[in-house]
Amino acid sequence: MRFFVETFGCQMNVADSLEMGRRLRARGFRTTKQLDRADVVLVNSCTVRDHAEHKALSFLGRLADWKSAAPGRLLIFAGCAAERLKDRLGRRFPQVDLVAGAKSIGDFDRLLAERFPALPFDGQQEWVDAWGWAPGLGETGLPGEGVTAFVTIMRGCNYACTYCVVPSVRGRELYRPAASIFSEVKERAAQGQREILLLGQTVNSYRPQGPNPGPEGREISDFSDLLQMVDAVPGVARIRFMSPHPHYVDERLAQAIHRSARVAPHIHLPVQSGSDAVLARMRRNYTREEFCRKVDVLRHHIPGLAVTTDFIVGFPGETEEDFLATLRLGREADLDGAYTFKYSPRPGTVSAQGADDVPDSVKEERLARLMEETDSRSRTKLAQLVGKTQEVLVEKGASEGSGFVWEGRTAHCRKIYVTSAKTHTTGDLLSVRVERADGKTLYGRVDA
Ligand code: SF4
């Protein structure tokens, strides 16, 4: 029996697919990358933007033929769009056998057992904890797994940003016990996954109430403690985290990153807008000045820190003045790069109840100006690396014909192609001299 997984959306969703995949593996299923060989298909969906939801639903629609091509095939629709649409899916997609919304990931085993009581079960089920980790089930070979281990440390979000559908589809924050995180990280590192990516919707708000013992009974009270716990696991070469919220960035976190030798000097800190008026209407819980001050605190403690961000343009009521404030923020905060998005209202959010009053042509025009600014800033930062030595984590052999042997990432998460006279393996840390920067990619040679 084999299962096929298609994941839409963010890295949290990739991690959730891995967790659900582990539960299927505990029932004796094996993965396949060929749809026509699959007995079970798991579609893990995203709803954060209309486009992402539409892509998942059209894939689901195309699976009607797969489902009817052989008896006994099972189709599972999971994730954020599944949570948002669950009661309305049946009529449009009768081919779906089980809906497992984003709030049900921890309950996936029970849903499987209830809906498919005849599914095989090899007796390991009780080993899978509520966060999907199970000893020995780490190597699933699912898309997204390679040198980087995706380790979920919390789920949900206690914020209420007015444009965001996440709190309604993922619920309030739930924190994973430190002992479970530690066990998973230890096993991942022992299996050769050299980079640990700690995941949570607001990952740095990790603050379990009550006792939360880590290794040797040490109390893990917040995200700073957790970083240092993971930093001490043998075999871990690099630690990243995604996505932090600016509200929880403080001196303590900056010092913890500084003290943790393996935490990469890069933070992706979504700001969304450079205008205080827009930030207030988004209910982001910080001002532009506070955001810049937090970036300064981080830079003060972490030498060579790279800071990237997310921006939304065309939020309701955004004036040209507001937009110019956003445009200026990249330069003022010396940001290293940004993902830029055009606002689109999501059903059920506060901002969708008001008018989407920035014309699409204006959103497009602002998006183009912002992308030009952020891309040019990013190119300049890359060009400054030429001639310098970077620590590179090898992720894979470069594609054939590229003329380069290894593909990896610098500590700032920049993609780099590396030539080397020696043989390396995935997960090696190399000292690489950057020879060229081209667009968003670096090219270099292993230092002799
Ligand atoms: S912090 Fe805001 S944008 Fe991020 S998931 Fe929570 S509500 Fe959404």
Side-chain angles (χ1 to χ4, degrees):
M1 299 279 275
R2 292 174 190 276
F3 69 101
F4 173 97
V5 181
E6 186 72 28
T7 305
F8 297 88
C10 64
Q11 282 155 317
M12 284 291 296
N13 260 22
V14 175
D16 286 348
S17 289
L18 294 168
E19 290 188 18
M20 289 185 280
R22 267 172 239 139
R23 288 157 158 86
L24 285 165
R25 273 174 52 90
R27 290 168 175 274
F29 283 84
R30 294 292 167 262
T31 57
T32 177
K33 291 181 178 159
Q34 290 168 268
L35 186 59
D36 56 357
R37 294 190 64 200
D39 304 289
V40 173
V41 169
L42 169 64
V43 181
N44 195 6
S45 62
C46 172
T47 189
V48 82
R49 268 170 273 284
D50 187 50
H51 179 63
E53 184 174 293
H54 184 74
K55 264 169 56 181
L57 292 180
S58 57
F59 183 69
L60 203 56
R62 295 200 299 278
L63 287 172
D65 289 344
W66 167 83
K67 177 80 196 276
S68 56
R73 285 179 162 178
L74 302 176
L75 177 53
I76 302 170
F77 189 49
C80 294
E83 184 71 45
R84 194 180 87 74
L85 300 168
K86 54 187 168 192
D87 300 332
R88 286 166 277 165
L89 282 165
R91 240 177 314 147
R92 189 167 158 204
F93 301 104
Q95 65 270 35
V96 173
D97 297 288
L98 173 64
V99 177
K103 286 179 188 161
S104 315
I105 306 297
D107 235 8
F108 189 62
D109 258 336
R110 187 183 57 77
L111 291 176
L112 281 178
E114 274 176 16
R115 181 67 185 82
F116 313 122
L119 270 188
F121 171 54
D122 70 358
Q124 291 186 61
Q125 186 186 15
E126 69 273 18
W127 290 47
V128 183
D129 73 14
W131 293 84
W133 178 74
L137 291 179
E139 264 326 298
T140 65
L142 288 165
E145 281 205 319
V147 74
T148 304
F150 290 63
V151 178
T152 301
I153 66 159
M154 60 166 296
R155 293 207 186 100
C157 175
N158 287 355
Y159 270 78
C161 299
T162 52
Y163 54 86
C164 184
V165 72
V166 166
S168 71
V169 292
R170 286 195 173 258
R172 293 190 60 80
E173 292 176 12
L174 282 174
Y175 309 111
R176 180 177 181 179
S180 169
I181 298 171
F182 182 69
S183 298
E184 177 168 1
V185 171
K186 240 178 25 179
E187 185 172 299
R188 302 285 180 181
Q191 285 167 342
Q193 288 185 286
R194 301 265 285 147
E195 181 173 71
I196 302 296
L197 178 62
L198 301 174
L199 288 170
Q201 222 71 51
T202 53
V203 72
N204 56 336
S205 71
Y206 182 86
R207 271 170 188 74
Q209 302 296 307
N212 185 35
E216 290 153 23
R218 215 184 86 217
E219 215 27 53
I220 305 295
S221 64
D222 64 6
F223 186 65
S224 300
D225 286 345
L226 193 77
L227 276 183
Q228 289 177 67
M229 175 187 92
V230 175
D231 191 58
V233 175
V236 173
R238 193 175 272 174
I239 301 163
R240 298 186 184 283
F241 52 89
M242 195 80 161
S243 292
H245 191 290
H247 179 73
Y248 299 99
V249 170
D250 55 16
E251 193 100 21
R252 182 172 154 77
L253 176 64
Q255 285 172 355
I257 296 174
H258 173 64
R259 275 198 301 271
S260 307
R262 296 174 187 86
V263 177
H266 168 230
I267 189 165
H268 184 79
L269 195 60
V271 64
Q272 310 300 9
S273 173
S275 153
D276 282 344
V278 174
L279 287 172
R281 284 203 301 280
M282 287 177 164
R283 283 199 208 138
R284 286 293 292 175
N285 203 24
Y286 51 82
T287 62
R288 170 201 182 92
E289 195 193 328
E290 282 162 352
F291 176 84
C292 291
R293 212 179 312 127
K294 283 166 188 274
V295 169
D296 285 347
V297 167
L298 290 166
R299 287 219 170 97
H300 174 74
H301 288 281
I302 310 160
L305 179 78
V307 182
T308 53
T309 196
D310 292 336
F311 286 120
I312 297 172
V313 298
F315 189 74
E318 184 190 72
T319 63
E320 177 65 12
E321 276 306 302
D322 292 324
F323 172 69
L324 288 174
T326 296
L327 204 56
R328 284 194 302 269
L329 184 66
R331 191 179 59 244
E332 282 173 29
D334 195 23
L335 300 177
D336 292 75
Y339 292 108
T340 49
F341 303 96
K342 214 169 58 163
Y343 171 77
S344 71
R346 300 301 295 128
T349 59
V350 172
S351 66
Q353 290 163 18
D356 181 14
D357 57 1
V358 179
D360 200 54
S361 57
V362 175
K363 286 182 189 167
E364 288 285 356
E365 186 254 346
R366 288 180 186 165
L367 187 67
R369 283 157 73 196
L370 186 59
M371 279 171 74
E372 196 185 314
E373 204 278 335
T374 55
D375 287 355
S376 126
R377 169 173 309 287
S378 175
R379 278 195 301 276
T380 306
K381 297 267 185 185
L382 279 193
Q384 287 167 353
L385 295 174
V386 174
K388 298 202 170 121
T389 298
Q390 298 285 296
E391 183 189 71
V392 172
L393 181 66
V394 176
E395 292 182 338
K396 53 184 166 178
S399 54
E400 236 175 87
S402 67
F404 293 93
V405 183
W406 302 103
E407 186 181 325
R409 287 197 185 261
T410 66
H412 288 170
C413 211
R414 303 285 198 188
K415 189 168 173 182
I416 183 163
Y417 289 101
V418 180
T419 50
S420 174
K422 294 190 199 140
T423 307
H424 306 287
T425 51
T426 303
D428 281 356
L429 272 183
L430 306 178
S431 191
V432 175
R433 191 160 186 79
V434 179
E435 296 181 322
R436 186 160 67 87
D438 178 9
K440 292 184 173 159
T441 308
L442 296 168
Y443 299 83
R445 184 173 294 277
V446 172
D447 258 355

